[in-house]
Amino acid sequence: MQRPLTLLFILCLTCSCCLAQNDTLRVLFIGNSYTGVNNLPQLCKDFSAGHGKTLIYDSHTPGGNTIDDHVNNPTALNKIRQGNWDYVVLQEQSQIPTIDYYRYNYMYPAVERINDSIKKYGPCTKVLMYMTWGRQNGGKQCDISGMYCSPDFQDFSHMQDSLESAYTEVAAKIGGGVSPVGIAWKRVLEDTSIVLHSADQSHPNFSGSYLAACVFYSVLWNENPVGSNYSGSLSGPAAAYFQEIAKQTVFDSARDWNPKDTLFADFKYSQYGDSIRFTNLSKSPDPFSYTWDFGDGNGSTAEDPVHVYMGDGVYTVRLTLNHCSSSMDKQDTITVNTTGMKPDLTHLGVKVFPNPAGNRLTVSFNSPMRGEVQLIASDGSVLSVHKLNDAQYLNLDTGELSPGLYFVKVVPNGQTHSWEYKILKH
């Protein structure tokens, strides 16, 4: 005879989230000359090394290429297919985000398509949009035919506003992040006379690329860029200034340029007899896994496990939600107390067989009985109720039941207590 348990769940406010951060990152840069000039990937590597970090990179940056060009480019796709990238950085051709026709008909669909390829070969890879900067003096941006054009931007900042809108919008569409290099440029150009453009008023000079590397460091590593001992060809004060601008733009910003994995670990429980069904309420992006610790030396990796505690005591149940390099815990304390809870129904002589059950389950008694028999799922829901009218046995059809844990509950007429029996269905 099984004994019902009195369970008290006391919430322990010990939910914790820890995002794993290694000292090595693998980054693939896909773009064009804005990425290739001054070898931005190498600058990012050198800047990271100045903070004691290791950045391993590859790149594909043919001049003038658009993201739409990369979608079906064998070289770009082969690099994506290598997988194992922590980040893939996408940089659009400099004018396309400002021209509505190309922004909505080419840039956005291309980003979504290439994001699908990235996620196929690297489910844990994060996509980072490289927000570039406006032309030095703004102006109208048109395609080669002159058929499709942007507004006639009054100046750099006016064009930069359009670029910011495009990059943040497309990043939101794919759940990716943004490296807000153009915004850092805007801070410098609006407040100082420092020149970040090269002579063509479009591409970056070394200062512009160095500032981009500072921004990328803060986004990729989620760390303060100030203090790197790498300054390239810049003076110490100039390098320190650009590091501070990147800090203000990314690290000190209320915006979340690089959205972290959104994890929410939670569960509830339901009790039937001596068995507890845990229902997972966690939320996480794919891919994810669960690890349960029931506090009695047993555990599970099932999404919604059922567990039986073999004796009285206080047990700490911990659910750990794992997503790529991130994890979150939810913890509750269970007090199991069976003292004085045992009903005296031994005179009924109840037998339930076979167990595990096949297509039929028989419930029998010592003598004819009145009452009812309930067939109950492991979550506590009643599947069927069968009335007993001086019956000494009852046959239940279990052929349609899915494999799993079930309960037979006998409720005799005139009795305060009921009787439960756990069964398994193959």
Side-chain angles (χ1 to χ4, degrees), residues 18 39 57 68 113 137 207 210 272-273 319 322 378 381 403 410:
C18 68
N39 198 348
Y57 75 86
D68 189 62
R113 291 200 301 274
N137 298 309
S207 293
Y210 182 86
Y272 197 82
L319 166 63
N322 304 295
S378 59
S381 59
V410 178

Side-chain angles (χ1 to χ4, degrees), residues 177-414:
V178 177
S179 182
V181 174
I183 294 178
W185 273 48
K186 186 177 179 181
R187 283 177 179 262
V188 173
L189 297 180
E190 288 184 345
D191 295 341
T192 73
S193 59
I194 293 174
V195 177
L196 299 176
H197 293 85
S198 63
D200 66 3
Q201 300 183 355
S202 172
H203 288 83
N205 60 23
F206 185 82
S207 293
S209 293
Y210 182 86
L211 176 56
C214 296
V215 170
F216 267 103
Y217 176 84
S218 192
V219 176
L220 291 171
W221 297 99
N222 190 32
E223 289 193 2
N224 186 344
V226 173
S228 175
N229 60 23
Y230 174 74
S231 59
S233 61
L234 300 179
S235 67
Y241 170 71
F242 291 132
Q243 292 173 23
E244 178 62 30
I245 290 296
K247 173 181 178 291
Q248 294 173 12
T249 303
V250 180
F251 195 70
D252 292 346
S253 177
R255 299 172 188 255
D256 192 3
W257 295 111
N258 186 1
K260 307 302 180 294
D261 300 321
T262 303
L263 306 181
F264 175 73
D266 196 15
F267 61 88
K268 65 179 182 179
Y269 74 97
S270 56
Q271 173 198 352
Y272 197 82
D274 60 355
S275 298
I276 312 301
R277 181 182 181 88
F278 295 96
T279 301
N280 207 319
L281 304 176
S282 302
K283 296 179 181 179
S284 172
D286 291 333
F288 57 86
S289 63
Y290 305 110
T291 304
W292 294 86
D293 180 347
F294 298 122
D296 61 352
N298 296 296
S300 175
T301 57
E303 181 175 357
D304 300 306
V306 176
H307 185 62
V308 177
Y309 288 93
M310 304 308 295
D312 296 357
V314 177
Y315 303 97
T316 298
V317 178
R318 183 187 299 274
L319 166 63
T320 302
L321 174 62
N322 304 295
H323 168 68
C324 298
S325 60
S326 304
S327 64
M328 174 172 272
D329 292 344
K330 170 63 183 291
Q331 180 174 298
D332 278 336
T333 299
I334 305 173
T335 300
V336 180
N337 181 7
T338 62
T339 304
M341 297 299 297
K342 181 179 178 180
D344 184 13
L345 297 177
T346 54
H347 63 285
L348 296 178
V350 181
K351 296 180 181 178
V352 180
F353 58 91
N355 190 8
N359 294 327
R360 191 178 74 168
L361 188 69
T362 298
V363 184
S364 67
F365 312 96
N366 280 342
S367 58
M369 195 188 75
R370 292 177 178 266
E372 67 182 30
V373 172
Q374 300 175 5
L375 183 61
I376 300 175
S378 59
D379 63 0
S381 59
V382 178
L383 302 178
S384 61
V385 178
H386 307 269
K387 296 295 183 181
L388 298 171
N389 187 13
D390 291 328
Q392 196 163 349
Y393 70 90
L394 175 70
N395 290 323
L396 300 177
D397 183 1
T398 55
E400 298 297 322
L401 296 180
S402 300
L405 176 67
Y406 297 87
F407 299 94
V408 170
K409 183 176 183 179
V410 178
V411 185
N413 285 348

